[in-house]
């Protein structure tokens, strides 16, 4: 087998590929990081403003995915109009050191990247 291609069973078990799949997408990290640093329930509209210019459709899609994976908790209030709040879970909060590390690397080395 070549070094540049993983077979499907290996790909499924590779922690780095699984992590990249978890946070892939333009908005995944900004959404997670906002929820982590807020660390309180936040309404959908507040979150959308905080990570602007994300679309409502994309934010909904990403939040549902995070909720399915146990990173975000969603709470619906029986009010008119309905109120929905999101909060990072303990599992989601455990990503903070990793995301802080990525941000630190970018601050230290981002200027050296070619093509920027």
């Amino acid at each position: 087998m070549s070094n540049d291609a993983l077979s499907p069973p290996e790909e499924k078990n590779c922690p780095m590929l699984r992590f990249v799949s978890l946070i892939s997408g333009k908005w995944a990290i900004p959404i997670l990081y906002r929820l982590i640093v807020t660390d309180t329930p936040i309404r959908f509209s507040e979150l959308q403003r905080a990570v602007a210019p994300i679309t409502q459709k994309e934010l909904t899609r990403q939040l549902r995915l995070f909720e399915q994976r146990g990173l975000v908790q969603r709470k619906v209030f029986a009010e008119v109009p309905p109120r929905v709040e999101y909060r990072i879970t303990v599992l989601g909060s455990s990503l903070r050191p990793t995301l802080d590390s990525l941000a630190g690397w970018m601050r230290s080395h981002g200027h050296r990247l070619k093509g920027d």
Side-chain angles (χ1 to χ4, degrees), residues 61-75:
R61 187 189 72 74
Q62 197 68 66
L63 286 168
R64 284 183 182 152
L65 182 62
F66 291 151
E67 185 181 9
Q68 290 170 359
R69 292 181 172 175
L71 300 173
V72 170
Q73 181 181 36
R74 178 178 183 256
K75 187 172 183 181

Side-chain angles (χ1 to χ4, degrees), residues 77-83:
F77 295 85
E79 299 175 355
V80 177
R83 178 169 52 117

Side-chain angles (χ1 to χ4, degrees), residues 59-107:
L59 181 56
T60 298
R61 187 189 72 74
Q62 197 68 66
L63 286 168
R64 284 183 182 152
L65 182 62
F66 291 151
E67 185 181 9
Q68 290 170 359
R69 292 181 172 175
L71 300 173
V72 170
Q73 181 181 36
R74 178 178 183 256
K75 187 172 183 181
V76 180
F77 295 85
E79 299 175 355
V80 177
R83 178 169 52 117
V84 180
E85 292 181 343
Y86 295 88
R87 185 177 196 148
I88 198 77
T89 63
V90 172
L91 177 61
S93 289
S94 70
L95 283 167
R96 185 169 191 159
T98 301
L99 298 179
D100 283 343
S101 176
L102 290 171
W105 185 91
M106 197 63 176
R107 280 191 295 275

